[in-house]
Amino acid sequence: MRLVSLTLFALTGLVVGCWATFLPESFYSDFPGVRPGYVSVDGPYNQHLVRDVGAMFLALGALTVGAMIVRTTTVTRLTGLAWLVFSVPHAFYHFTHLHVFQPLDQALNVVGLSALVLLALVLVVLPAKVSGAGGPARSRVP
């Protein structure tokens, strides 16, 4: 479950991060790409803000890729914590501003943003992998 969560976070961070950083106008008007723009309904375009959001997603994506390479329980938990610190206030904001969306998009926001929070919690609270000797493994997690 950790590897699945890390993979989803890595993809999210890198795809969203690249899109917002390198194509900010497109991100502003077209995100998430399959529905009407979610960012543009919330105020005027601000290239600086969109690029900063992209850079933050890239940083989280890079951290997540690093966690997938290192694969220690501690680094995995810290990565989950970083995503949780971002995802909880992000979800809270959107949950309190759903009125700008159509009903389907309201539901998609709640489901998608809740999934990010839950996946981050998975990374933070899953128990450490147990070694064959009975103690917690400090090297790699599945």
Side-chain angles (χ1 to χ4, degrees):
M1 184 65 180
R2 285 185 177 121
L3 187 55
V4 170
S5 297
L6 287 171
T7 300
L8 290 171
F9 278 127
L11 289 171
T12 298
L14 297 176
V15 170
V16 173
C18 283
W19 189 1
T21 301
F22 301 113
L23 299 167
E25 294 90 356
S26 171
F27 180 82
Y28 173 78
S29 61
D30 300 327
F31 181 83
V34 294
R35 299 285 304 153
Y38 283 11
V39 179
S40 60
V41 300
D42 203 23
Y45 176 68
N46 181 322
Q47 184 181 131
H48 178 195
L49 181 59
V50 172
R51 286 185 188 264
D52 283 355
V53 167
M56 181 272 312
F57 268 102
L58 283 174
L60 285 171
L63 173 64
T64 307
V65 169
M68 293 172 74
I69 293 167
V70 174
R71 296 178 60 192
T72 65
T73 299
T74 300
V75 172
T76 299
R77 286 184 176 157
L78 287 172
T79 300
L81 180 62
W83 277 99
L84 197 60
V85 166
F86 163 69
S87 297
V88 169
H90 182 227
F92 179 78
Y93 174 82
H94 283 287
F95 294 166
T96 59
H97 293 83
L98 290 171
H99 64 278
V100 300
F101 298 110
Q102 298 173 5
L104 174 59
D105 297 304
Q106 291 175 355
L108 291 172
N109 267 270
V110 169
V111 169
L113 295 170
S114 296
L116 289 177
V117 170
L118 292 174
L119 285 174
L121 279 171
V122 164
L123 294 177
V124 171
V125 303
L126 276 180
K129 180 180 178 183
V130 177
S131 71
R138 298 219 179 243
S139 59
R140 301 197 177 266
V141 294

